[in-house]
Amino acid sequence: MTDERNGKLETLVGQVKDKCKITWEDETTERVLKEELVPSACSIVRFKIGIPDDVGFDFTEPGIEHRILINYCFYAWHDAEDDFERNYAADIAHARRLWEVRNDARQQEGVA
């Protein structure tokens, strides 16, 4: 399954499971990861770093966006989103600046 805006959902779920050290398999865990945690995290991270809704972005690819997403999922899995905000504020600010430049370039090209 592919989420056109965020990359390959199955791959992201696997990466999140690795980060969170989820080694067991059960329907509830799979459902929570595939239908709630990962899609929600993608939306939250897109908002935090300024990736426009109309831009397809593959969070499975290495980069600061991937790092932020995977770590947000780790904190969310452990109900520690507030700690994430404090610990990753610098990374979020850096990624946001990168996306501001990209979005400005898109607007100047007339794409947006």
Side-chain angles (χ1 to χ4, degrees):
M1 174 184 225
T2 299
D3 178 339
E4 296 299 323
R5 292 183 332 123
N6 301 317
K8 300 163 200 79
L9 182 62
E10 295 292 330
T11 302
L12 282 173
V13 168
Q15 292 170 339
V16 169
K17 287 171 81 172
D18 290 345
K19 176 69 176 177
C20 295
K21 307 292 189 241
I22 298 171
T23 59
W24 63 92
E25 302 247 350
D26 69 58
E27 290 180 24
T28 302
T29 301
E30 292 296 317
R31 182 188 53 75
V32 167
L33 290 172
K34 289 179 183 174
E35 296 177 15
E36 297 173 23
L37 193 136
V38 172
S40 175
C42 287
S43 294
I44 290 166
V45 169
R46 288 177 77 89
F47 174 76
K48 286 185 181 300
I49 64 178
I51 301 175
D53 289 335
D54 65 337
V55 171
F57 184 81
D58 188 352
F59 278 108
T60 63
E61 295 295 320
I64 192 165
E65 300 90 348
H66 173 77
R67 172 185 152 93
I68 292 169
L69 176 74
I70 296 301
N71 284 297
Y72 180 84
C73 289
F74 177 84
Y75 280 77
W77 181 254
H78 296 288
D79 294 320
E81 291 96 330
D82 291 343
D83 291 332
F84 172 82
E85 296 292 334
R86 284 189 297 276
N87 293 336
Y88 285 87
D91 285 349
I92 292 167
H94 176 72
R96 186 158 191 85
R97 283 190 297 275
L98 289 173
W99 276 95
E100 286 171 354
V101 170
R102 290 176 184 159
N103 292 333
D104 285 346
R106 285 180 69 227
Q107 286 180 348
Q108 289 177 6
E109 293 172 1
V111 175

